[in-house]
Amino acid sequence: MSGIIGTRRGVVGFGIFSLALVALCVGLGVWQLQRRAEKQTLIAALTERLASAPGALPQASQWSALAPARDEFRRVRFVATWQPRPDAMVYSAGSAVRDDITGPGTWAFLPATLPSGEIVVINAGFVQNTMQDRAQQDRAVTRLITGEPATLTGYLRFPESAGTLTPPENMAKRLWFSRDHLAMVRTLGWDEGGKPVAPFYIDLETPVPASGIPKPGPLTVRLKDNHMQYIITWFGLAGAVVIAFGVWLFGQRSARAKPLPET
């Protein structure tokens, strides 16, 4: 009798463990389903924003209401004048949103003044500057500073925070390793003594300089959607646990059903 009770307790215990494991796997599978739906919604929204006709740049009174989830990659067109200020380089090993940028180099970040007086920071484009050479960057951006207003088309982007492994900026080269345009403004004095600065920067699409450098260009959506393989994995593991428990339970019952050997 004690053996039967012990066996039942073992079945119950293993059954509870298996049920908890199945619940965990199913929960993770459902979570991945939700993540996939969110990712597909994001891809659709970004694709629509990037393909839309350029709109007006948000006015300064609207800047505080902007949010990356709703406004990043909005395509805009506006008039601004490049400031004769020291530019900043941002190191890049490639681009996740530019199909034409595949190797290392630097992005040229410069301030520009709107007709109403506010400052907008512009990522003027890519410089194939593999050695992060300050002189090469200077030659690339000097020709942009004409003092004349220019009509610019580009995309709203928001600053990124430096991670724990991100190298600090190199002030001798004015070289950054994250696209934190607000830090550039503070460090390089682009706000001209307190002028309002946009909380976003612009990834420039056009115009392209006559020399082609810095190289602006259109952005494309290349977000990875690997969630389906995780969905299959988690639901597959849940099914495997159910099957394994069934096989084990069948073996236990078969063992109890065998007659004892005669003595």
Side-chain angles (χ1 to χ4, degrees):
M1 178 63 94
S2 60
I4 295 175
I5 294 174
T7 301
R8 288 178 177 175
R9 287 177 178 173
V11 170
V12 171
F14 190 52
I16 293 173
F17 172 78
S18 299
L19 182 62
L21 195 56
V22 169
L24 175 63
C25 292
V26 169
L28 290 171
V30 170
W31 176 61
Q32 286 296 331
L33 280 171
Q34 295 170 343
R35 290 288 307 277
R36 184 169 186 261
E38 293 170 358
K39 178 66 71 63
Q40 290 179 334
T41 300
L42 176 61
I43 291 173
L46 294 182
T47 301
E48 181 180 357
R49 291 176 203 170
L50 294 177
S52 64
L57 190 74
Q59 297 180 359
S61 59
Q62 302 172 314
W63 288 352
S64 61
L66 299 175
R70 184 180 61 250
D71 299 298
E72 187 141 32
F73 294 107
R74 278 175 56 184
R75 197 160 171 247
V76 294
R77 180 172 292 152
F78 59 99
V79 173
T81 303
W82 298 106
Q83 285 190 19
R85 294 273 181 167
D87 67 282
M89 297 190 293
V90 178
Y91 173 76
S92 173
S95 176
V97 290
R98 286 276 300 272
D99 292 332
D100 58 333
I101 305 301
T102 57
T106 53
W107 301 103
F109 275 64
L110 296 89
T113 305
L114 298 175
S116 52
E118 296 86 5
I119 306 300
V120 174
V121 177
I122 314 292
N123 174 12
F126 187 74
V127 180
Q128 199 167 1
N129 188 359
T130 55
M131 300 302 293
Q132 299 94 57
D133 179 15
R134 168 41 57 192
Q136 180 180 345
Q137 183 91 354
D138 288 339
R139 290 192 299 270
V141 303
T142 298
R143 285 167 284 192
L144 296 176
I145 314 300
T146 64
E148 298 295 326
T151 299
L152 308 177
T153 301
Y155 309 86
L156 294 189
R157 301 296 304 274
F158 288 83
E160 60 184 14
S161 301
T164 55
L165 299 180
T166 303
E169 59 269 20
N170 182 332
M171 293 312 304
K173 292 184 175 183
R174 301 197 301 275
L175 174 65
W176 267 257
F177 294 89
S178 62
R179 298 187 182 201
D180 187 353
H181 75 284
L182 297 178
M184 301 172 199
V185 171
R186 292 190 299 268
T187 303
L188 301 176
W190 288 349
D191 54 355
E192 291 187 338
K195 287 188 177 180
V197 178
F200 53 83
Y201 67 90
I202 301 295
D203 261 347
L204 192 65
E205 179 184 358
T206 60
V208 179
S211 64
I213 303 171
K215 185 181 182 181
L219 307 186
T220 56
V221 178
R222 292 193 295 178
L223 296 179
K224 293 183 179 180
D225 182 5
N226 297 325
H227 297 289
M228 181 54 72
Q229 68 186 52
Y230 299 127
I231 292 168
I232 294 172
T233 297
W234 289 120
F235 285 131
L237 285 173
V241 171
V242 171
I243 293 172
F245 178 75
V247 171
W248 177 83
L249 184 61
F250 178 79
Q252 292 293 309
R253 290 180 174 176
S254 297
R256 290 202 306 270
K258 288 182 179 180
L260 296 174
E262 295 182 359
T263 57

